[in-house]
Amino acid sequence: MSERTGELAIETTGLVKVFGDKRAVDGIDLRVPAGTVYGVLGPNGAGKTTAVRVLATLLRPDGGEARVFGHDVVKEADTVRGRVSLTGQYASVDEDLTGTENLVLLARLLGHRKPAAYDRAARLLEAFGLTEAAGKQAKNYSGGMRRRLDIAASILNTPDLLFLDEPTTGLDPRSRNQVWDIVRAVVAQGTTVLLTTQYLDEADQLAGRIAVIDNGRVIAEGTPGQLKSSVGSGSVHVRLRDAHLRPEAQRVLSEVMKTAVQLDHDPVALTARIMPEGGATGPAELASRALGELAARGITVDDFSLGQPSLDEVFLALTEKTQQQPARQQEKQEAVA
C-alpha cells in the first residue's frame, strides 16, 4: 500500500534512553511515513530493541521526544497503546494452549464476544496457513509456525502501527519467506510496520526506507538504493580457478581499482567495491581494466559479476566508519596534547 501523503507514523527527535552509564539510545531522530515498512538495521546491542520498547510505551525515555501518529509516547501513552501492537524477538504464545485457544483467549481479553473471537481466530489461522494445526498445542509447533501464530496474535485487532522486533530470528529460509509474505499482506491492509532486524536481505526485501543504528545512534538513513550508492557505485565479484593465486589477485585488484578488496568465505572468491570518487572512469571500464590485468598476470578468472553493493557491504562499510571514529578522535587529542 502506498504511504499516506504527509502523515508520519513515528517521529522522534533526540531520543535518549540510559541504563546506568550506558546510553542504549543516544539521540535518535526518526521520521517513519505511515503505510510503509521501515527497517531499523543494526548488530546486537545497537539499541534497536530499546528504541522499539520506548516507542511502544514499555520504557520511559530519558531525553528527547517521540510521537506515534502525533501522540506523545509519555504524555499520551494510553492513546499510543490503543494504536500499536508489538511482536518481540521470541514467540509469546502459551505453549500449553492450542493455536485456536491462544487466539480466542487474547481476542476475549481484547473485548471480542465469544462467537466473534472464534470467528476472528479461524480467519487468522486460515490466512497464516495454520488451520490444520489449529487444534494442536503450540508446544508442538515448529519455530516458523509459532512465529506466525505470534504475529497473528498481534493483529487480532488490526493495529495502525505494528512493531516487529527481529521476527525471523532462528527461522529456516522457508519460514522466513512465509513471515515476509505476512508482513507484506499486513502493510497492504494499511498497517505501518517498524521492522528491526540483523538480516540485511530481510531489510532489502521488505523496507522502503532503512535506518542503520550502531552504538545507539543512527549512522545512515535512506532507501536501500541510496544506502548502497553511498558506499560505492558498484561491486566487482570475482571467482578464480586457483585458490593459491588469491593473494596475488587481491593485490592486483587493489592496485587497479584503488580500493580495499575483501576476501570472501569462498576460498577462490574476492569482492572489490568501486568507490564513487573514482573520477570519470565508470564501474564497467574499471572492472574491465582489472580483469585485463589479472589475465596479464596469468590469473584465470572462472566467474565475474558487476553490480550494486549488497546491504551486507553497506553495513560493514558504515559500521567500520563508526568504529574508526573514536580512534581518530583519540589520535587528534594526543596530537593536540
Side-chain angles (χ1 to χ4, degrees):
M1 182 174 182
S2 61
E3 64 187 70
R4 303 165 201 168
T5 306
E7 185 178 10
L8 292 178
I10 297 171
E11 185 175 15
T12 72
T13 305
L15 190 64
V16 173
K17 182 62 189 176
V18 179
F19 297 105
D21 59 355
K22 177 176 174 57
R23 294 171 73 88
V25 175
D26 191 12
I28 285 179
D29 298 333
L30 291 177
R31 291 172 61 86
V32 178
T36 65
V37 179
Y38 191 93
V40 178
L41 187 65
N44 279 330
K48 305 186 304 296
T49 296
T50 300
V52 165
R53 290 175 65 83
V54 170
L55 291 169
T57 75
L58 298 177
L59 290 174
R60 190 182 183 94
D62 295 310
E65 294 182 348
R67 294 182 177 275
V68 172
F69 293 105
H71 300 287
D72 189 281
V73 299
V74 175
K75 298 175 183 176
E76 302 172 273
D78 286 343
T79 302
V80 171
R81 290 180 193 127
R83 301 192 66 173
V84 307
S85 187
L86 167 64
T87 296
Q89 296 178 18
Y90 305 101
S92 57
V93 297
D94 188 323
E95 295 196 341
D96 291 325
L97 299 181
T98 67
T100 295
E101 288 168 344
N102 265 289
L103 295 185
V104 168
L105 173 62
L106 291 170
R108 296 284 281 148
L109 291 172
L110 290 168
H112 293 273
R113 293 182 180 276
K114 194 172 182 178
Y118 274 96
D119 180 66
R120 183 66 173 155
R123 288 174 181 272
L124 285 170
L125 289 167
E126 182 181 3
F128 286 22
L130 294 171
T131 300
E132 291 184 6
K136 296 180 181 179
Q137 289 178 301
K139 64 184 177 184
N140 296 318
Y141 283 18
S142 68
M145 292 167 69
R146 290 187 196 186
R147 177 51 78 190
R148 280 182 276 155
L149 182 62
D150 205 32
I151 297 175
S154 298
I155 60 172
L156 277 162
N157 283 349
T158 306
D160 292 323
L161 172 61
L162 176 60
F163 295 104
L164 290 179
D165 191 14
E166 302 191 18
T168 61
T169 297
L171 298 187
D172 60 79
R174 184 181 179 211
S175 295
R176 287 180 68 200
N177 283 328
Q178 290 173 335
V179 171
W180 291 355
D181 287 341
I182 290 168
V183 173
R184 294 185 183 106
V186 168
V187 175
Q189 297 301 313
T191 295
T192 304
V193 172
L194 183 76
L195 169 77
T196 74
T197 183
Q198 296 181 62
Y199 298 124
L200 298 111
D201 59 331
E202 184 162 89
D204 208 0
Q205 283 282 333
L206 296 175
R209 296 189 71 84
I210 298 170
V212 182
I213 293 181
D214 199 18
N215 295 317
R217 298 180 179 181
V218 175
I219 59 174
E221 198 275 348
T223 66
Q226 288 170 339
L227 292 177
K228 290 172 184 177
S229 64
S230 72
V231 300
S233 57
S235 284
V236 174
H237 302 277
V238 173
R239 294 188 81 255
L240 308 175
R241 179 166 299 175
D242 301 306
H244 72 277
L245 293 176
R246 190 163 75 156
E248 175 65 14
Q250 183 182 29
R251 284 191 291 273
V252 171
L253 290 173
S254 181
E255 289 171 5
V256 174
M257 305 185 73
K258 310 297 183 187
T259 187
V261 178
Q262 176 185 335
L263 300 179
D264 297 345
H265 293 302
D266 183 339
V268 295
L270 309 92
T271 297
R273 197 166 62 242
I274 301 174
M275 301 309 296
E277 59 266 26
T281 305
E285 182 182 345
L286 196 57
S288 177
R289 188 184 304 168
L291 288 174
E293 189 61 29
L294 288 173
R297 303 278 185 98
I299 301 172
T300 302
V301 173
D302 274 347
D303 191 30
F304 160 81
S305 63
L306 173 65
Q308 266 197 318
S310 68
L311 273 182
D312 291 274
E313 293 169 291
V314 171
F315 183 71
L316 288 171
L318 292 171
T319 52
E320 280 171 8
K321 288 179 183 177
T322 60
Q323 290 169 1
Q324 292 167 1
Q325 284 173 358
R328 289 172 181 164
Q329 291 171 355
Q330 181 67 26
E331 290 173 0
K332 288 180 182 179
Q333 291 172 357
E334 291 174 355
V336 171

